[in-house]
Amino acid sequence: IRYTLLKDEL
Amino acid sequence: MNIFRLTGDLAHLTAIIILLLKIWKTRSCSGISGKSQILFTVVYITRYLDLFTNYISAYNTLMKIIFVVSSLATVFLIYFKFKATYDRNHDTFRMEFLIIPSIILALLIRHEFTVMEVLWTFSIYLEAVAILPQLFLVSKTGEAETITSHYLFALGSYRGLYLLNWIWRYYFENFLDWISIVAGFVQTVLYCDFFYLYVTRVLHGRKLRLPA
């Protein structure tokens, strides 16, 4: 499961 | 980007435009909670600080700027330009009851203990409940103008569509963020009672009036 600190969602 | 996220974003954008147009055309912000609008402004400002640190896409940057600027404009219209029409006697929900628990929760439950990450998490938690002063105002006055109902429907749909987007991203991108999902679920649930009234009344051409 990948979680990214780079937030691409609004 | 998938269809659910795109339609969610467009629903969000539509809600903001409906609200601004309603206030501008009628020269009145009656029936609108200034407190919810202040909370949304706080949400956007704390969440989109990454505008200064990370570039993701032109779409992402543009939408973030639109959300911040339009929410500031809405607050300005309510508290300055059309403040004579603001329902301050009915808009009595205490903002600190939402802000303080959101701060505490963001400090406790977040992915990383950094300023940006805690502020992002705070914005997610605060957004989930930011509509409560508006729903409280509607329940106090017992009714909402039809245009205000459309605004609430578009705004409520947005996070519901994001829930579908997260299901999609889990299956196709192996992406999972429990903080967004749980907060988004709570946010959507808060609108359910309103959704029911909207579908059964407003879509049948009647005004949204709460059952006695």
Side-chain angles (χ1 to χ4, degrees):
Chain A
I1 306 292
R2 188 171 58 83
Y3 161 75
T4 174
L5 284 173
L6 183 65
K7 309 291 197 288
D8 62 336
E9 293 182 344
L10 298 163
Chain B
M1 177 62 75
N2 58 60
I3 189 71
F4 301 114
R5 181 141 58 116
L6 183 63
T7 47
D9 288 345
L10 293 179
H12 193 182
L13 190 61
T14 305
I16 288 168
I17 292 170
I18 287 175
L19 183 61
L20 273 174
L21 278 180
K22 171 221 145 44
I23 296 174
W24 190 255
K25 293 276 182 194
T26 61
R27 321 296 288 173
S28 161
C29 56
S30 82
I32 301 300
S33 165
K35 293 185 174 177
S36 278
Q37 296 309 316
I38 288 177
L39 294 176
F40 281 123
T41 305
V42 171
V43 164
Y44 301 137
I45 290 175
T46 51
R47 185 176 309 167
Y48 299 154
L49 286 173
D50 64 353
L51 273 172
F52 298 104
T53 58
N54 294 316
Y55 177 80
I56 293 159
S57 67
Y59 170 83
N60 188 277
T61 301
L62 182 67
M63 292 293 261
K64 284 174 175 171
I65 292 172
I66 291 175
F67 290 159
V68 172
V69 171
S70 60
S71 66
L72 283 169
T74 307
V75 168
F76 170 77
L77 292 182
I78 295 172
Y79 285 95
F80 295 95
K81 190 155 177 65
F82 300 123
K83 75 173 179 189
T85 63
Y86 170 47
D87 267 339
R88 72 181 67 241
N89 298 333
H90 290 124
D91 195 15
T92 51
F93 199 100
R94 302 268 299 266
M95 285 188 284
E96 56 270 36
F97 289 169
L98 304 176
I99 292 178
I100 293 169
S102 299
I103 292 174
I104 294 170
L105 201 59
L107 288 168
L108 296 175
I109 305 175
R110 71 282 180 277
H111 295 294
E112 276 193 5
F113 199 68
T114 61
V115 173
M116 291 285 277
E117 190 64 15
V118 169
L119 284 175
W120 178 86
T121 313
F122 161 74
S123 82
I124 294 288
Y125 295 150
L126 184 62
E127 185 188 351
V129 293
I131 200 60
L132 286 176
Q134 178 65 57
L135 296 177
F136 183 70
L137 190 155
V138 171
S139 75
K140 253 196 148 179
T141 57
E143 61 180 36
E145 285 176 55
T146 301
I147 189 73
T148 305
S149 312
H150 294 327
Y151 162 71
L152 283 169
F153 181 75
L155 193 63
S157 309
Y158 137 71
R159 224 51 179 174
L161 287 160
Y162 257 71
L163 287 177
L164 300 176
N165 153 62
W166 290 318
I167 293 171
W168 176 284
R169 294 193 75 177
Y170 174 69
Y171 279 107
F172 295 104
E173 298 170 28
N174 205 25
F175 173 93
L176 192 65
D177 180 356
W178 279 110
I179 289 176
S180 301
I181 293 171
V182 174
F185 181 75
V186 169
Q187 186 172 343
T188 305
V189 166
L190 292 181
Y191 287 85
C192 283
D193 186 40
F194 164 79
F195 282 152
Y196 173 76
L197 291 170
Y198 183 81
V199 171
T200 55
R201 300 186 184 211
V202 180
L203 292 186
H204 289 87
R206 290 150 65 197
K207 195 173 172 167
L208 189 110
R209 209 180 289 276
L210 299 188

